[in-house]
Amino acid sequence: MNKYQKVLQVLEKEHQIACEAADIEETARAKVYFQLLGNLADKETPKKPIDIEFGPCADLMLCCPTCKHGVVAIPTYHGNKYYPRCPFCGQKLKGDDEDDY
């Protein structure tokens, strides 16, 4: 869980407490806003690219785990590195050199 997800949890809890204290029902609009913020917070959590089979020979292509589009490589002298975010959906990507948590 990243810092954005932690803050979002606190905000949701505070909103629920405020609604209960004021004896009002939580609106559908507020729920949608919290869902949108949750989606944004999830994009800030680095995810490892996944291999997806494509083509008649079942070749593997490294893809974004969220939108399944191919991850764009940055050619370097010592092999390929990948952009830190998916260029299609904005998902933060975890590189091979980063530790799992």
Side-chain angles (χ1 to χ4, degrees):
M1 179 180 297
N2 65 29
K3 62 185 176 184
Y4 301 112
Q5 290 168 323
K6 290 177 185 176
V7 169
L8 182 61
Q9 277 186 343
V10 170
L11 287 174
E12 282 182 299
K13 188 66 177 166
E14 289 293 321
H15 179 70
Q16 290 171 353
I17 291 170
C19 286
E20 289 173 10
D23 198 26
I24 58 174
E25 191 173 322
E26 190 175 5
T27 65
R29 177 182 268 180
K31 290 177 185 178
V32 169
Y33 288 151
F34 280 119
Q35 182 62 41
L36 289 172
L37 286 171
N39 292 344
L40 290 172
D42 289 343
K43 284 193 186 232
E44 288 302 313
T45 303
K47 294 182 181 175
K48 232 176 180 17
I50 57 173
D51 284 326
I52 294 182
E53 289 183 11
F54 76 99
C57 298
D59 293 328
L60 292 177
M61 183 166 93
L62 205 56
C63 296
C64 172
T66 303
C67 71
K68 311 296 189 261
H69 276 92
V71 176
V72 180
I74 305 170
T76 63
Y77 184 72
H78 299 288
N80 287 332
K81 285 190 167 191
Y82 298 95
Y83 283 102
R85 290 189 179 276
C86 173
F88 300 99
C89 73
Q91 174 66 52
K92 196 169 190 179
L93 300 172
K94 185 186 293 187
D96 288 335
D97 55 345
E98 296 177 37
D99 294 330
D100 291 333
Y101 45 103

